[in-house]
Amino acid sequence: MADITIEPAAPSILAQLTRTRIIALLMALVWLPLSAYVISGVTPGGSADYMLLPSIPAVILLYLIAFRAWRESWVAVLGLSLVCFWLLVAVSVPFLPLFDPNKPIAPFQIPFATKGENFYLLGTDYKGRDILSRTLWGCQRVIVWGVTATLVAYMVGMLFGLLAGYLSGWWDEIISFLGNVLLSFPVMVLFIVILNYLGPSGFNIIVAVTFASAPAIMRIVRGLALDIKTRDYVFAAQTRGESPLWIMFVELLPNVRGPIIVDACLRLGYTTVAITTLTFLGLGLQPPDPDWGLMIRESAKTAMLFKFSYMLIVPALSVSSLILGFNLMADGLREMSLRD
Amino acid sequence: MKLIGRRLIQMILILIVASIILFIIFDSDTFKMRIALAELGNFGVSAMDPDDYKAWLVKKGLDIPFYQRFALWVGNVLQGDLGWSFEKNTAVGPLLWAALKNTGILAFWVFALMVPLSLILGVLAGMREGSRLDRSISFISVFTTSIPEIATAIILTVIFALGLKWLPTKSAMISGFDGWQLMLPVMTLVLYDFGYVARMTRASMAEVMTSQYIRTAVLKGLPYRRVILRHALRNALIAPFTVIVLQLNWLLSGVVVVEVFFEYKGFGKLLLEAALFGDIYVVQACTLVAVIVAVTSQIISDIGYTFLNPRIRFA
């Protein structure tokens, strides 16, 4: 008891994380310039690069804050470090001394090769483009499209989940049936059909990921909403005469966020897998801009020699480390939330 | 029984909705154009005036509105005729069966290896929660599950096919069936999937180990081995059963990228090629199979769960 009087009882870690407005601000500071930079497709080297400057300290600050909050779980810290490493690369890559990722220089240079004045740490691909540069630039695309797609899927899924869970009745029946229709497609089949219809591009990946992920998110949110609906503070709001929309978004939504954060980390991982896989299959992002899935796709035919296998290994390890980061983060967070 | 009936009705409804949506999607002009381009070539299409194009559509039977084609298609499917492939110019039925047979072989070996491996690891980890063994198994399973199939496929190919030269790089099986060519795809799928099932088994086992009746058994002085084998396993394996059956559904998605990477002629490769070509009847047939497999596996896992768990059966 003495401890509590000296130090106020720490709120749960998830609550600590979400309660802080600063974190949301920092995240926006990273995500907005980065996505604007990638989606507008500006050519690197111009003045648009300076847009990313404020994001660099924001990433470092985010890392420090999360590190402090999660330090008791080494799993979460390891995951966080991996994710933040790639985030830092994504925002700082225009300022790094790298070759142009799209410029053919010297083909088939194996790693650590020196040719003339140029040194290729990770070698070059069959077209002679520097692999180190392509890998580091490639993480921008994966992160931006992955995060944006997950975000949109969450907004749609949460909206329908709240509608189904709170309003019940016909709303619930119809939304749940549509969700079941979408869920009974194997994910890849759904992706292939949607992207094939809309044509391959980043925006259409968002649509496809939303169709594939939103029903599952909807189910989770619906279950949580059904549970929370019977709480006293919802009755209080109803008695006050609040509108259903107000109750859904102001009373219910903030209280379902805990389990959702863990799920979001996992889903970021799935989305990253999906984007890389789809791009490899030729249904995702299009050449020539660097992307990990694209690097694998382009080299899959030529790199079938042990000597040249670095062309495939480098992007494969990069994407794996990012996904591992998301999954470890989810794991550590779940562990910590169970402990509280 | 009522549950099964409900699920079956739902499955039929889902199939109808899904195939109508597919017909609408593939009715778009871009897809018709894509078939024309693939069949006649770029030059052939640009040489055609609108009347010729219309005549070509009539010849292919693509000028009929989609709802009429849909009704026709439903009638044919009910009689066992799955339609005609524009791309490969054969009936869809044999094409689909050959692909499904190949994927079936793949799936059989994946399950034959994955199920024992993940159950043993999961039970070992869950037996003593928090032990060093548990921590290392949990970490390995997160690790392997985090590496996407495409990356696993690359790493395995580089090690076993390009580096050690033990296994062939591709699995096209041009000169008949070859077990060696099956190894890499099976390994890829098992490595990606076993972690998930192992974690589910671990969670279930860990929960059972904390329950009262296990404590009673241990305190009664029964040998630890007997407590695990006779008392704990029975209850701990109920939840993994559901998960394993549902992996069938996952396999249909997971198999696409593996089959494309290893050039294995299975369901996933057929589906992707057909979708890229705009080969509507093949895509329809594949979707039909996929949805039936998905819903059937859900029904089986529901029934199995109720059957295995008396608490639910008699509730």
Side-chain angles (χ1 to χ4, degrees), chain A residues 37 42-43 48 64 70-71 103 109 126 137-138 151 166 176 186 188 194 198 204 248-249 258 301 322:
Chain A
Y37 188 81
V42 288
T43 45
L64 292 177
W70 299 345
R71 72 198 148 186
K103 193 178 141 207
Q109 296 295 316
Y126 71 107
W137 277 98
L151 213 66
Y166 182 71
S176 292
M188 229 355 127
I194 292 173
L198 298 173
N204 293 339
M248 272 189 267
F249 286 95
K301 287 274 182 308
L322 179 61

Side-chain angles (χ1 to χ4, degrees), chain A:
Chain A
M1 285 309 278
D3 283 348
I4 296 169
T5 47
I6 296 163
E7 202 177 38
S12 91
I13 280 145
L14 289 178
Q16 240 177 30
L17 174 87
T18 45
R19 220 169 275 162
T20 324
R21 296 263 155 81
I22 301 169
I23 293 181
L25 188 75
L26 285 175
M27 282 180 168
L29 205 58
V30 178
W31 180 69
L32 287 176
L34 193 62
S35 51
Y37 188 81
V38 169
I39 291 170
S40 63
V42 288
T43 45
S47 55
D49 285 358
Y50 295 105
M51 204 159 73
L52 293 177
L53 263 183
S55 305
I56 298 174
V59 171
I60 297 170
L61 260 176
L62 266 179
Y63 178 71
L64 292 177
I65 293 172
F67 185 88
R68 253 184 69 83
W70 299 345
R71 72 198 148 186
E72 58 186 278
S73 158
W74 66 272
V75 175
V77 168
L78 183 63
L80 177 77
S81 308
L82 282 170
V83 171
C84 281
F85 166 73
W86 284 115
L87 255 179
L88 191 63
V89 168
V91 293
S92 61
V93 71
F95 310 106
L96 297 177
L98 293 166
F99 294 109
D100 183 341
N102 288 330
K103 193 178 141 207
I105 313 168
F108 293 109
Q109 296 295 316
I110 57 169
F112 303 109
T114 333
K115 196 173 189 191
E117 291 168 358
N118 296 338
F119 172 67
Y120 307 102
L121 182 66
L122 294 176
T124 58
D125 68 359
Y126 71 107
K127 276 186 177 165
R129 297 171 295 192
D130 184 45
I131 291 195
L132 177 68
S133 163
R134 279 180 82 70
T135 308
L136 296 188
W137 277 98
C139 84
Q140 269 194 346
R141 258 149 253 283
V142 173
I143 288 175
V144 165
W145 291 116
V147 172
T148 315
T150 315
L151 213 66
V152 174
Y154 259 94
M155 291 200 287
V156 174
M158 287 203 285
L159 175 70
F160 283 107
L162 286 176
L163 284 175
Y166 182 71
L167 296 179
S168 316
W170 277 108
W171 283 92
D172 191 16
E173 292 283 328
I174 294 170
I175 293 172
S176 292
F177 177 75
L178 289 180
N180 281 337
V181 171
L182 288 173
L183 277 177
S184 53
F185 279 93
V187 186
M188 229 355 127
V189 177
L190 198 63
F191 278 145
I192 290 174
V193 168
I194 292 173
L195 280 174
N196 198 30
Y197 177 52
L198 298 173
S201 78
F203 282 106
N204 293 339
I205 284 185
I206 296 181
V207 178
V209 168
T210 305
F211 268 103
S213 294
I217 299 166
M218 186 276 285
R219 269 197 184 179
I220 298 173
V221 176
R222 174 179 170 271
L224 292 169
L226 276 177
D227 176 32
I228 288 177
K229 203 168 88 167
T230 54
R231 301 279 168 89
D232 286 337
Y233 59 80
V234 177
F235 282 127
Q238 282 166 346
T239 334
R240 278 204 305 272
E242 309 281 15
S243 76
L245 273 180
W246 173 271
I247 295 177
M248 272 189 267
F249 286 95
V250 180
E251 306 284 346
L252 290 184
L253 193 58
N255 287 299
V256 300
R257 66 194 170 185
I260 280 178
I261 289 177
V262 175
D263 183 67
C265 283
L266 281 178
R267 219 159 273 285
L268 275 171
Y270 297 153
T271 313
T272 314
V273 177
I275 290 181
T276 313
T277 307
L278 287 170
T279 309
F280 166 72
L281 294 175
L283 289 166
L285 307 172
Q286 294 300 299
D289 284 329
D291 171 79
W292 293 337
L294 211 56
M295 288 168 74
I296 296 173
R297 176 181 170 77
E298 289 176 334
S299 310
K301 287 274 182 308
T302 41
M304 276 301 156
L305 275 175
F306 189 63
K307 201 178 148 196
F308 296 133
S309 57
Y310 63 89
M311 290 181 199
L312 295 174
I313 292 278
V314 173
L317 290 183
S318 312
V319 71
S320 306
S321 66
L322 179 61
I323 295 160
L324 185 66
F326 286 133
N327 286 354
L328 289 179
M329 244 162 80
D331 232 42
L333 284 180
R334 185 171 21 202
E335 215 173 81
M336 282 189 280
S337 66
L338 284 179
R339 213 180 291 155
D340 293 337

